[in-house]
Amino acid sequence: MSAPPRLLPDEPLPPYTYVPGRSPHPVSDPEGHQFGARPPMPALLVPERWHESRAYLRGIDLFNCAYYWEAHEAWEGLWLAAGRAGTTADFLKGLIRLAAAGVKNAAGKPEGVQSHACRAAELFRAGESEPQGGSLFLGLRRQTLIELAEAICRSGWPASPPLLLPTLPRA
């Protein structure tokens, strides 16, 4: 399988993806690859300028390379910066839940995969009615995300890891 396209090829990937119970916690374990480091709070994600947010793009790259816990962490900072409520925050929470489903899959917990994917689908579906939430939001198609999350909710994590492929604005 070829490597997925990277949005930030200059950003190195972590040395391992964290799976609870199988690898050292990246931050709290002295053997973790980020032990003692506190990532800076990312800047507020402006929906019209999503493609300029390195934290958001980093989350997509991490997700696409199967670093689901790390993607969750990248998007969680943005979710907190967004105030944890509203169209952007809810969309990010859907991505966080989708990444959490990936973590649960890696940990061999199918019930967790299903519950996180079902909640992700709900969050993506809820934003469809928002005026600024539209069908394409933060570069991703809501309908594609809804279908992906619902499929995972019904059938479990796919054999081929899912990819998030944003539509980049034209220069």
Side-chain angles (χ1 to χ4, degrees), residues 2-167:
S2 65
R6 297 273 308 274
L7 300 170
L8 299 174
D10 60 316
E11 287 275 343
L13 295 171
Y16 61 87
T17 182
Y18 174 61
V19 177
R22 293 199 187 145
S23 52
H25 189 282
V27 178
S28 63
D29 189 306
E31 304 220 356
H33 59 81
Q34 294 177 309
F35 179 68
R38 287 197 165 267
M41 180 65 103
L44 183 65
L45 177 59
V46 177
E48 299 77 27
R49 296 179 32 208
W50 63 268
H51 55 281
E52 297 173 9
S53 171
R54 289 188 67 85
Y56 178 67
L57 298 176
R58 173 88 171 142
I60 291 174
D61 276 352
L62 290 165
F63 184 93
N64 287 345
C65 292
Y67 289 85
Y68 301 116
W69 182 86
E70 294 79 5
H72 174 291
E73 290 293 298
W75 290 325
E76 187 169 40
L78 292 167
W79 175 71
L80 291 169
R84 301 165 44 176
T87 304
T88 301
D90 289 347
F91 188 86
L92 290 166
K93 188 67 170 177
L95 292 175
I96 290 166
R97 289 294 192 135
L98 202 55
V103 172
K104 293 297 183 183
N105 178 67
K109 301 191 181 269
E111 306 84 21
V113 171
Q114 181 182 30
S115 66
H116 283 296
C118 290
R119 183 64 180 127
E122 290 171 12
L123 287 160
F124 295 136
R125 210 177 303 107
E128 285 183 306
S129 61
E130 297 287 326
Q132 74 267 33
S135 64
L136 187 65
F137 189 66
L138 302 182
L140 298 170
R141 297 204 177 285
R142 275 191 193 274
Q143 190 57 42
T144 301
L145 292 170
I146 291 167
E147 290 169 8
L148 171 63
E150 287 177 345
I152 294 170
C153 180
R154 279 190 313 274
S155 306
W157 198 256
S160 278
L163 296 177
L164 303 177
L165 302 171
T167 301

